[in-house]
Amino acid sequence: MAEAIFETHITSLPLIGRGKVRDLYAVVEYKLLVVATDRLSAFDVVLPDPIPGKGKVLTAITEFWLEQLAGIVPDHRTGIDPTSVVAPEERDQVVGRAMVVKRLQPLPIEAVVRGYLIGSGWKEYQQKGSVCGIALPAGLRLAERLPEPIFTPATKAEAGEHDENISFEQAEALCAAKLAPHDGAALARQAKAAALALYIRARDYAAERGILIADTKFEFGIDAAGVLHLIDEVLTPDSSRFWPADAWQPGTNPPSFDKQYVRDYLETLAWDKTAPGPRLPEEVIRKTAEKYREAYRRLVGRSLPE
């Protein structure tokens, strides 16, 4: 198994910050170097054990989807080779796991699209018959395919907090408040339309390869002119639920090619889901790495080089 990178140490560029998974560095002319580390977060807590090669899988899958989905909405790519913006001795930290992207203002919402009834959506449906205020037909089962994909935005949690599902009207209001002088409400509507179009195209592509995309989370940002762009990771095992189509059965929780495997393991522990997270057994680390690579292989049709 390849050596894992828990945290990058690039001194040739100014460090902007570290997210749950990605390290961000400033590049001249309003660009960012985004490096996907091998960190793994679960329940909004970064776990102490990285998953070797995970960052490379996330980057490769994102690049693959950006090509597949081109034309629906502009994206943040610049085409600049990440190894060209760091010192020679730092290139091994970015090869295969980094992108140089446009520096854009993120929308203050998570653009979540659900095609199947699972997770927090299932919990709300059981209580209210709806998801994020969207009424659904009665009698749906766990993991059932929805009649149509639905857009269910969420807030962006601060460190140590959890995202909260909100209504679309709340998303419009939040964007209006945070994106002035641009028309935030209109941008929220654009994000909704783009997210649904992206999901439908990806869902149909993945289904041909034996994968069901149960749900996913997109991120959008705007440039100085207020033009909406697709940013961050796209349809990865970190931001989506991938199910093998041949194992899907409504009424049961399907196995997955994403970090749900780790969440399921953590649910067996006496852990209160606050930091610090528990250590992972070697077997869980190994199987999680295999699931990420299997997602890439199924989607792209070839294995990702070690």
Side-chain angles (χ1 to χ4, degrees):
M1 193 177 291
E3 184 176 351
I5 293 182
F6 186 84
E7 187 175 278
T8 57
H9 299 280
I10 294 171
T11 59
S12 59
L13 296 173
L15 175 67
I16 294 176
R18 302 187 194 275
K20 294 187 183 98
V21 173
R22 286 162 182 77
D23 293 346
L24 306 179
Y25 296 88
V27 181
V28 295
E29 298 177 349
Y30 307 105
K31 297 179 181 66
L32 296 174
L33 175 70
V34 181
V35 189
T37 71
D38 296 327
R39 294 192 294 270
L40 178 70
S41 72
F43 305 108
D44 295 310
V45 174
V46 176
L47 302 180
D49 295 297
I51 306 299
K54 172 176 171 285
K56 291 187 175 183
V57 174
L58 296 183
T59 301
I61 288 179
T62 291
E63 291 176 336
F64 168 77
W65 281 121
L66 288 175
E67 285 296 321
Q68 293 293 320
L69 303 173
I72 293 177
V73 62
D75 64 65
H76 63 178
R77 288 178 293 175
T78 64
I80 297 172
D81 180 355
T83 63
S84 71
V85 301
V86 299
E89 66 272 15
E90 297 167 339
R91 289 173 182 166
D92 61 339
Q93 298 184 63
V94 302
V95 171
R97 64 171 68 245
M99 297 177 70
V100 179
V101 302
K102 302 172 188 175
R103 193 166 185 173
L104 303 165
Q105 180 182 359
L107 267 61
I109 58 170
E110 308 278 13
V112 179
V113 180
R114 302 173 191 266
Y116 293 76
L117 192 55
I118 197 73
S120 63
W122 168 245
K123 292 177 182 177
E124 180 184 333
Y125 175 77
Q126 289 178 291
Q127 296 170 352
K128 303 177 181 178
S130 62
V131 176
C132 289
I134 300 171
L136 295 175
L140 295 179
R141 295 165 291 175
L142 175 69
E144 189 134 25
R145 179 166 169 160
L146 300 175
E148 297 290 341
I150 58 175
F151 181 75
T152 59
T155 60
K156 289 186 176 180
E158 298 296 330
E161 298 179 356
H162 298 281
D163 297 340
E164 290 186 12
N165 295 337
I166 56 177
S167 68
F168 180 64
E169 291 71 26
Q170 288 173 304
E172 284 184 307
L174 189 56
C175 287
K178 298 288 188 180
L179 299 177
H182 304 290
D183 187 342
L187 286 164
R189 293 191 292 272
Q190 289 178 37
K192 176 182 178 179
L196 287 167
L198 291 165
Y199 172 80
I200 289 169
R201 184 183 292 182
R203 176 201 66 189
D204 294 348
Y205 174 94
E208 294 175 356
R209 285 147 185 84
I211 288 182
L212 304 181
I213 303 178
D215 53 37
T216 194
K217 175 185 71 176
F218 296 109
E219 297 268 5
F220 293 98
I222 57 171
D223 62 16
V227 176
L228 190 75
H229 288 67
L230 178 62
I231 66 172
D232 202 58
E233 63 182 319
V234 179
L235 291 151
T236 72
D238 269 15
S239 64
S240 317
R241 281 187 177 89
F242 292 150
W243 295 337
D246 57 6
W248 170 65
Q249 180 65 46
T252 63
N253 194 0
S256 59
F257 296 113
D258 53 52
K259 64 182 178 181
Q260 188 61 41
Y261 175 78
V262 174
R263 292 194 195 100
D264 291 344
Y265 164 75
L266 294 172
E267 290 282 17
T268 69
L269 306 179
W271 176 49
D272 63 0
K273 299 184 177 62
T274 60
R279 300 298 302 266
L280 297 176
E282 282 297 322
E283 180 72 359
V284 172
I285 293 172
R286 183 183 63 80
K287 286 190 175 180
T288 302
E290 289 174 358
K291 285 179 177 291
Y292 275 74
R293 298 182 76 86
E294 176 68 6
Y296 177 88
R297 188 191 67 77
R298 287 207 181 198
L299 287 170
V300 181
R302 62 179 182 273
S303 297
L304 187 66
E306 292 284 352

